[in-house]
């Protein structure tokens, strides 16, 4: 798809941040509000990520935002998170009793639901406040990653926060005679998706 020629959903601040992901500038309607500046939240671990997400949601709710107006947009499903083996996702039990709770996407949510949805499913929808997760770079070099981040951030109408995991290199050594090891780019890409890391060095042969 091609970005809209004229932005009609976001504030100027959100549209500018989102288009910068693609190295572009938005064309805004003259009546578009300036809006609050989007902000990045850097985290060092899954636990840190969970705590920072709770902090952002709590701040927004204390500022008068309804839980239903907040949506967490990620690459991975709520139930499984980054675990392809079907393990419990990190955001399943988030919330504050009687104040808010994370729930799967629904068009008819409970009043306390802060909904979680994948970027693909949320395409074409919008929310007043969006919290983007599952990314490691605000300006991804990978075109697919950049496009996914752009789509997620342009769902926000009034407020945007982007949680970013500090990246680290993943170095994998694969013996050239190892049986059953999938070699090449496809293997490297699976490792990237599994660990959500932007750079992977794969060395073939024995050390």
């Amino acid at each position: 798809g091609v970005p809209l020629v004229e932005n009609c959903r976001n504030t100027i601040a959100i549209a500018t941040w989102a288009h910068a992901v693609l190295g572009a500038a938005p064309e805004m309607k003259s009546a578009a509000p300036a809006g609050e500046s989007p902000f990045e939240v850097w985290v060092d671990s899954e636990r840190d990520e969970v705590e920072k997400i709770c902090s952002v949601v709590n701040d927004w709710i204390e500022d008068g935002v309804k839980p239903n107006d907040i949506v967490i947009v990620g690459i991975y499903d709520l139930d499984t998170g980054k675990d392809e083996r079907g393990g419990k996702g990190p955001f399943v039990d988030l919330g504050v009793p009687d104040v808010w709770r994370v729930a799967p996407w629904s068009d008819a949510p409970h009043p306390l639901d802060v909904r979680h949805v994948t970027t693909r499913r949320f395409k074409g929808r919008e929310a007043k406040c969006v919290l983007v997760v599952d990314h490691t770079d605000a300006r991804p070099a990978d075109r697919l990653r950049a496009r996914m981040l752009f789509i997620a951030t342009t769902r926000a109408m009034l407020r945007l926060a982007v949680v970013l995991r500090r990246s680290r290199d993943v170095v994998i050594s694969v013996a050239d005679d190892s049986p059953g090891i999938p070699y090449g780019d496809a293997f490297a890409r699976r490792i990237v998706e599994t660990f959500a890391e932007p750079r992977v060095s794969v060395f073939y042969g024995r050390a």
Side-chain angles (χ1 to χ4, degrees):
V2 179
L4 294 175
V5 174
E6 186 174 57
N7 186 287
C8 55
R9 171 188 290 115
N10 320 115
T11 63
I12 294 174
I14 290 173
T16 300
W17 196 101
H19 280 75
V21 173
L22 301 180
E27 295 185 21
M28 305 293 299
K29 285 187 174 181
S30 57
E36 298 180 13
S37 297
F39 60 93
E40 301 166 12
V41 180
W42 288 92
V43 299
D44 296 304
S45 66
E46 187 173 278
R47 179 177 179 179
D48 190 24
E49 183 177 33
V50 167
E51 291 177 352
K52 295 290 178 56
I53 289 172
C54 283
S55 178
V56 172
V57 173
N58 286 333
D59 286 347
W60 283 348
I61 290 178
E62 289 177 5
D63 203 26
V65 177
K66 297 178 181 178
N68 284 175
D69 289 331
I70 301 173
V71 175
I72 299 173
V73 183
I75 296 174
Y76 305 95
D77 290 329
L78 174 63
D79 293 336
T80 59
K82 302 177 182 68
D83 191 346
E84 296 178 351
R85 297 167 296 181
K88 190 175 182 181
F91 310 135
V92 170
D93 295 325
L94 285 190
V96 176
D98 300 321
V99 179
W100 66 275
R101 66 191 187 192
V102 171
W105 175 262
S106 170
D107 290 318
H110 185 278
L112 298 184
D113 286 353
V114 169
R115 290 167 290 175
H116 181 288
V117 66
T118 62
T119 303
R120 294 184 186 281
R121 186 172 183 184
F122 205 47
K123 190 175 182 180
R125 300 174 185 264
E126 60 188 19
K128 290 182 180 179
C129 302
V130 170
L131 206 167
V132 179
V133 299
D134 297 333
H135 291 273
T136 58
D137 194 339
R139 303 291 182 268
D142 181 85
R143 291 173 58 187
L144 175 59
R145 289 272 180 182
R147 185 64 185 165
M148 294 286 280
L149 181 57
F150 173 79
I151 292 172
T153 54
T154 53
R155 303 306 93 196
M157 299 171 64
L158 300 177
R159 293 185 178 186
L160 171 66
V162 182
V163 178
L164 300 166
R165 180 78 68 87
R166 296 189 193 280
S167 63
R168 63 181 184 276
D169 291 337
V170 178
V171 180
I172 302 161
S173 179
V174 180
D176 53 16
D177 59 352
S178 298
I181 296 294
Y183 286 20
D185 293 340
F187 170 61
R189 187 166 187 80
R190 275 201 297 280
I191 297 298
V192 171
E193 294 300 327
T194 300
F195 290 93
E197 303 292 356
R199 298 183 298 277
V200 175
S201 300
V202 180
F203 295 93
Y204 299 104
R206 298 187 181 282

